[in-house]
Amino acid sequence: METRAEEQLIGPLLLARGTIDRSALLRGDTAWLERAWAAPSTRVLIINDGHTLVRRTGEDVEAVLYPVTEAPEGERYLLGVEDGTAYFAVAAPLPGVDAELNGRVTVPMNLRDTPEGEPVVAGLRQVGGLLGDRDAGLLVYAVALEAWHTTHEFCPRCGSRTRVESGGHVRVCPVDGSQHFPRVDPAVIMLVRDQDDRCLLARGPQWPEGRLSILAGFVEPGESLEHAVIREVAEEVGITVTNPRYLGSQPWPFPRSLMLGFFAEALSTTLTPDTEEIAEARWYSREQLAEALATGELRLPPPVSIARRLIETWYGDHLAGDW
């Protein structure tokens, strides 16, 4: 199969957007952080267990951002600055939401069914692709920081409770002085093609029948991305691939992954799935995929995922049939 060097991803990676300057040089400036927090123009995104409030404005969807005077108490993270406006996230219960609904999605399947301007609880998976570039970037950033802080309250060296510094980008142990920084776990995700240019799709044991995607796995210590692609495919379906080719990446903060997308070429087609990882795996031509989507036999990952973009890039057009 001839590799198409000109191939590029179809459509944007919806969780890789953002417009603000992350302002890393300002994180350690305590005086600036206090001035920014006191500024009337500053806006705050409130995050609770990966969820925030969004609302519909006409045909658009936006995150609900608060002035500092309306922000609740909670851990505070600097997200950045845009056009002189500072943006923070605060980890706290969502305002005006019953306690039992905090951390639970209330956004309907079709956000247009929501009264205009009425805040609803939503997670990144539900609205990451509906928000504009600025708000999508803010929410991805806030979700990732909150997830890291939630699981890193204590020093891994001595067990002491750490404190938040540098605008939420460092945790410091008050006992041994060690510093701890937000962690990102790289994971490769790969669309495998055979010599007939068929695409390999698979299903994990925890997924319902008909829900298929491409293969993925975490990069191991001391391993290159290309070697991770080759190893993961061999482990999961028992075939050898060659020519891993990078196409793009996007954050996937569930809780802290960075998904690195590849195409790879299969040297064989006989699949031997690892039953602990893969419930089923099949090759699809473009015609077979289109037919399976049309009949409802198969559903693809949502457009917010890099998996969907890689499948559509191979297919050559956008597809319907979300999970």
Side-chain angles (χ1 to χ4, degrees):
M1 181 183 61
E2 183 179 350
T3 298
R4 290 170 285 180
E6 76 282 1
E7 221 160 25
Q8 295 182 341
L9 286 172
I10 288 181
L13 294 171
L14 295 174
L15 299 188
R17 298 175 294 148
T19 62
I20 64 165
D21 180 347
R22 292 195 170 205
S23 308
L25 296 179
L26 296 173
R27 296 170 188 168
D29 189 336
T30 303
W32 182 89
L33 288 171
E34 291 304 317
R35 289 197 304 272
W37 186 252
S41 61
T42 293
R43 290 295 176 265
V44 180
L45 184 147
I46 302 170
I47 190 79
N48 179 260
D49 194 22
H51 297 78
T52 194
L53 293 172
V54 301
R55 61 188 167 206
R56 180 176 66 85
T57 304
E59 294 300 311
D60 298 325
V61 179
E62 62 182 17
V64 179
L65 301 175
Y66 294 85
V68 171
T69 53
E70 297 179 22
E73 293 293 325
E75 282 190 350
R76 188 189 310 170
Y77 319 136
L78 173 67
L79 300 180
V81 178
E82 182 183 52
D83 297 331
T85 296
Y87 292 89
F88 287 82
V90 169
L94 302 176
V97 177
D98 291 341
E100 63 269 19
L101 292 180
N102 260 282
R104 290 174 49 195
V105 174
T106 62
V107 63
M109 290 297 292
N110 185 353
L111 195 59
R112 292 183 175 85
D113 294 338
T114 302
E116 186 167 355
E118 180 178 308
V120 291
V121 181
L124 197 53
R125 284 186 173 92
Q126 290 77 38
V127 296
L130 302 178
L131 296 170
D133 290 354
R134 184 202 67 181
D135 288 1
L138 290 173
L139 183 55
V140 172
Y141 200 177
V143 168
L145 283 175
E146 184 206 25
W148 178 74
H149 281 284
T150 299
T151 56
H152 288 75
E153 293 181 82
F154 299 94
C155 176
R157 293 184 177 182
C158 69
S160 300
R161 184 178 291 276
T162 54
R163 65 175 182 268
V164 178
E165 292 190 1
S166 296
H169 291 76
V170 180
R171 294 191 78 101
V172 177
C173 177
V175 175
D176 61 27
S178 59
Q179 296 181 322
H180 309 280
F181 299 88
R183 170 181 161 187
V184 175
D185 297 335
V188 290
I189 182 165
M190 43 278 177
L191 185 141
V192 178
R193 306 186 292 185
D194 70 3
Q195 295 299 311
D196 294 322
D197 204 16
R198 295 184 300 172
C199 167
L200 176 61
L201 298 180
R203 176 174 67 88
Q206 72 278 18
W207 296 352
E209 290 189 13
R211 178 182 292 186
L212 299 181
S213 186
I214 55 179
L215 303 180
F218 286 105
V219 180
E220 294 188 345
E223 184 176 46
S224 72
L225 300 178
E226 292 79 6
H227 285 163
V229 169
I230 294 168
R231 174 185 55 77
E232 282 289 344
V233 175
E235 289 177 355
E236 294 193 346
V237 294
I239 63 172
T240 301
V241 297
T242 188
N243 194 28
R245 188 163 59 85
Y246 173 78
L247 273 82
S249 67
Q250 79 167 7
W252 193 250
F254 307 111
R256 59 183 65 87
S257 298
L258 174 65
M259 306 301 294
L260 301 130
F262 286 80
F263 274 10
E265 299 169 13
L267 297 179
S268 60
T269 57
T270 301
L271 303 173
T272 309
D274 175 356
T275 55
E276 292 188 3
E277 297 283 341
I278 303 296
E280 62 174 313
R282 287 183 54 188
W283 295 102
Y284 284 88
S285 68
R286 290 172 178 78
E287 294 75 17
Q288 289 170 331
L289 179 64
E291 181 179 354
L293 289 172
T295 62
E297 171 192 336
L298 185 155
R299 288 169 291 155
L300 295 177
V304 75
S305 68
I306 190 172
R308 177 63 164 268
R309 287 290 178 252
L310 290 170
I311 294 169
E312 290 178 332
T313 298
W314 161 79
Y315 185 79
D317 201 354
H318 293 292
L319 294 163
D322 300 354
W323 287 354

